[in-house]
Amino acid sequence: MWGKYFNKTSIVAVVDRKIVGFISGFLQPTAPDTLFIWQVVVDQSQRGKGLATTLLLKLIKRLENTNIRFLEATVTPTNKPSNNLFKGLANKLETEYTKYECFSEDQFPDPSHEAEIAYRIGPLK
Ligand SMILES: CC(C)(COP(=O)(O)OP(=O)(O)OC[C@H]1O[C@@H](n2cnc3c(N)ncnc32)[C@H](O)[C@@H]1OP(=O)(O)O)[C@@H](O)C(=O)NCCC(=O)NCCS
């Protein structure tokens, strides 16, 4: 389903015929100028080499002739790699980011789940 309906806003990285990273994204139904990044995962063997950043930049480049002007993604406060990924992306795109609480802790049934903080990056040039 994801590959069929959301492939233009998603991307995978393949090394030696094995998927080692993927990003699933979609256009926000209520904000079609915003690319929402749902999941970003890089295989442990490939982390810290710039792969997630490269995938995000490729996805943005692919969508440059569309109306997308912002990118959003949620991260938990203690996920340092993920926080650095989106801060670093804003920096590389030479644009700003703002943060807001997308889902609070008490919205999760699991009491140990942290809040999900959204990064809103843009405007994209
Ligand atoms: C988050 C994740 C996708 C990053 O992938 P990656 O390919 O290693 O990221 P990059 O190499 O492009 O690094 C992006 C930035 O994060 C920083 N970073 C990467 N790993 C880090 C770590 N372990 N600790 C601190 N910073 C880190 C990099 O230095 C880089 O910063 P810069 O842009 O200022 O140079 C990867 O760690 C992962 O798959 N984690 C598990 C799944 C997850 O938590 N996904 C996010 C939830 S949506």
Side-chain angles (χ1 to χ4, degrees):
M1 288 278 277
W2 201 265
K4 185 171 171 70
Y5 294 115
F6 297 93
N7 56 67
K8 291 202 168 45
T9 50
S10 303
I11 190 165
V12 298
V14 177
V15 171
D16 294 334
R17 305 184 66 187
K18 185 179 157 221
I19 292 178
V20 293
F22 80 88
I23 295 175
S24 52
F26 59 88
L27 299 187
Q28 272 191 12
T30 54
D33 67 345
T34 302
L35 171 65
F36 193 90
I37 300 299
W38 187 9
Q39 297 289 339
V40 186
V41 181
V42 166
D43 187 85
Q44 236 153 4
S45 66
Q46 304 295 325
R47 288 184 192 168
K49 300 177 180 177
L51 183 56
T53 303
T54 300
L55 288 174
L56 284 167
L57 290 172
K58 276 185 183 290
L59 200 49
I60 291 165
K61 176 93 181 137
R62 187 201 287 168
L63 297 166
E64 71 184 351
N65 292 323
T66 67
N67 294 329
I68 292 168
R69 296 195 67 229
F70 294 91
L71 179 147
E72 281 193 27
T74 70
V75 305
T76 52
T78 60
N79 189 339
K80 211 166 177 110
S82 191
N83 278 277
N84 287 347
L85 172 64
F86 292 108
K87 283 185 210 165
L89 183 73
N91 190 28
K92 287 171 189 77
L93 292 168
E94 298 179 348
T95 190
E96 309 294 319
Y97 68 85
T98 54
K99 294 201 293 183
Y100 67 92
E101 189 176 70
C102 191
F103 301 109
S104 59
E105 272 174 16
D106 58 14
Q107 285 180 287
F108 292 95
D110 172 1
S112 68
H113 200 297
E114 294 177 81
E116 290 278 349
I117 308 300
Y119 279 79
R120 182 168 172 80
I121 298 174
L124 306 178
K125 290 164 188 164

